[in-house]
């Protein structure tokens, strides 16, 4: 990638503040500084393809510097220019040239804001997406844990399983098969704990509905059953769920079964194994 060339009046960096700002800019970019009286030197760098962006500081230019700047500005229509100055200074050049001016930055501006603007323009030139601080913070706060949807018409059972899993997983709870399908229309969990026996739409019917949807059929489903349902689970197992868990089982066993299923899924994805039987 090319450098950022800063065009200034000769001897511009004369004060301590200007020298400090120049150091901050050098630290932020692959940078060169030049002046408006070095037209041949600047145009040679442009022709050699060394420059990615030219930042021109237009504040109180001398007549000679204005002449040199217009020569540079008119030399090439491809190189990107960022012009910095007062409102009046910027508009002196606004319609006078047919150059690739990507940004007019009105002064005064803090050095930090200035560096941010240059970074944003470089990102546009390079086709790179720059994320705002809010977006970065949002990404940083995304919970890395796996997401488990618990489906059960019994509120006590919902609370129990959510409590058991709260430290290791993100959990969502719904009270019916219908609510589960509505939820799955908006979010895709990593695993579903599905109560076998529910009114209106039982676990098997809900599982059938999940399997019928192309974008849902590969979500692993573990059936939750009471002891009285255990003998009936045979029918559900014919549909090849990820497994089943007795609600009366110990917490460690429940966690272990869930962990084993998720590890199997990860291994299948790693080796590109299609879903056949969990």
């Amino acid at each position: 990638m090319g450098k950022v060339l800063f065009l200034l009046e000769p001897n511009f960096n004369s004060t301590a503040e200007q020298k400090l700002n120049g150091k901050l800019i050098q630290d932020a970019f692959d940078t060169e500084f030049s002046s408006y009286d070095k037209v041949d030197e600047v145009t040679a760098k442009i022709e050699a393809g060394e420059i990615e962006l030219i930042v021109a500081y237009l504040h109180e230019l001398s007549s000679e510097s204005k002449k040199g700047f217009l020569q540079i500005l008119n030399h090439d229509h491809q190189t990107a220019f960022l012009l910095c100055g007062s409102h009046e200074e910027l508009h002196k050049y606004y319609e006078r040239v047919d150059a690739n001016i990507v940004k007019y930055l009105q002064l005064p501006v803090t050095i930090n804001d200035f560096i941010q603007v240059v970074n944003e323009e470089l990102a546009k030139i390079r086709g790179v997406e720059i994320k705002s601080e809010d977006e970065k913070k949002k990404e940083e706060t995304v919970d890395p844990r796996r997401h488990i949807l618990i489906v059960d018409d019994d509120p006590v059972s919902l609370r129990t399983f959510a409590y058991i899993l709260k430290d290791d997983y993100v959990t969502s709870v719904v009270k019916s098969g219908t609510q589960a399908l509505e939820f799955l229309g908006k979010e895709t969990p990593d695993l579903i704990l599905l109560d076998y026996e529910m009114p209106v739409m039982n676990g098997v019917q809900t599982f059938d509905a999940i399997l019928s949807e192309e974008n849902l059929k590969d979500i692993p489903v573990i059936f939750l059953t009471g002891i009285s349902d255990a003998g009936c689970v045979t029918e559900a197992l014919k549909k090849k769920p990820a497994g089943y868990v007795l609600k009366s089982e110990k917490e460690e066993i429940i966690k272990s079964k869930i962990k084993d299923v998720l590890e199997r899924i990860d291994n299948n994805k790693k080796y590109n194994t299609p879903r056949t039987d969990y």
Side-chain angles (χ1 to χ4, degrees):
M1 293 182 181
K3 296 183 177 181
V4 180
L5 176 65
F6 288 83
L7 284 177
L8 310 165
E9 282 274 36
N11 304 316
F12 175 83
N13 288 324
S14 56
T15 69
E17 181 182 5
Q18 288 164 349
K19 289 178 180 178
L20 174 59
N21 288 345
K23 179 65 169 62
L24 291 172
I25 289 169
Q26 283 180 309
D27 290 343
F29 313 107
D30 185 4
T31 303
E32 281 194 23
F33 290 88
S34 190
S35 54
Y36 297 109
D37 58 342
K38 297 179 180 178
V39 175
D40 291 342
E41 177 185 297
V42 172
T43 55
K45 290 179 182 295
I46 291 173
E47 289 172 359
E50 298 176 13
I51 307 303
E52 191 170 17
L53 175 68
I54 295 177
V55 179
Y57 188 76
L58 307 179
H59 187 51
E60 297 181 352
L61 294 189
S62 67
S63 58
E64 284 302 310
S65 290
K66 290 175 185 176
K67 181 180 177 181
F69 173 58
L70 287 173
Q71 285 182 264
I72 295 168
L73 197 59
N74 284 304
H75 179 78
D76 178 70
H77 295 171
Q78 301 300 318
T79 305
F81 283 82
L82 190 160
L83 308 188
C84 308
S86 67
H87 178 81
E88 293 76 14
E89 287 162 337
L90 292 174
H91 283 271
K92 286 179 184 178
Y93 305 101
Y94 192 91
E95 295 178 345
R96 291 177 60 182
V97 295
D98 184 22
N100 182 21
I101 301 172
V102 296
K103 184 79 174 180
Y104 293 88
L105 181 61
Q106 191 167 324
L107 301 177
V109 65
T110 67
I111 188 63
N112 288 334
D113 287 344
F114 175 76
I115 289 172
Q116 181 179 337
V117 168
V118 175
N119 268 322
E120 288 172 353
E121 294 308 317
L122 283 173
K124 291 176 187 176
I125 293 168
R126 296 167 181 170
V128 177
E129 180 184 1
I130 278 200
K131 295 181 179 176
S132 67
E133 289 303 314
D134 288 342
E135 289 173 322
K136 289 178 183 177
K137 287 178 183 177
K138 186 176 180 181
E139 286 185 353
E140 290 169 359
T141 57
V142 171
D143 199 319
R145 295 175 299 169
R146 297 295 187 88
H147 182 191
I148 295 179
L149 173 64
I150 308 168
V151 188
D152 199 323
D153 65 306
D154 180 2
V156 174
S157 182
L158 283 177
R159 286 197 300 270
T160 299
F161 277 92
Y163 179 79
I164 288 173
L165 302 174
K166 68 180 178 67
D167 292 333
D168 301 307
Y169 304 97
V170 175
T171 59
S172 298
V173 298
V174 295
K175 296 181 180 179
S176 70
T178 303
Q179 288 182 6
L181 296 176
E182 290 175 357
F183 180 92
L184 293 170
K186 301 173 184 176
E187 295 190 47
T188 305
D190 296 289
L191 183 142
I192 301 171
L193 292 180
L194 180 60
D195 186 23
Y196 175 80
E197 188 59 48
M198 294 186 292
V200 185
M201 189 177 191
N202 65 30
V204 175
Q205 292 168 326
T206 304
F207 190 33
D208 281 338
I210 292 170
L211 291 176
S212 69
E213 296 292 335
E214 186 64 28
N215 62 322
L216 303 178
K217 64 183 180 66
D218 290 325
I219 302 174
V221 173
I222 294 177
F223 276 106
L224 298 174
T225 71
I227 292 181
S228 60
D229 303 323
C232 304
V233 173
T234 303
E235 187 65 27
L237 292 179
K238 292 178 182 178
K239 298 182 181 295
K240 298 181 180 179
Y244 75 95
V245 169
L246 289 174
K247 294 181 181 181
S248 58
E249 285 183 310
K250 293 182 178 179
E251 180 178 324
E252 293 76 18
I253 295 175
I254 293 170
K255 286 185 175 182
S256 177
K257 286 186 176 182
I258 291 172
K259 182 180 178 183
D260 287 347
V261 167
L262 290 172
E263 286 179 351
R264 282 204 305 276
I265 298 303
D266 286 342
N267 287 334
N268 286 343
K269 288 180 179 178
K270 181 178 180 181
Y271 297 106
N272 296 317
T273 304
R275 181 188 188 279
T276 52
D277 190 356
Y278 291 111

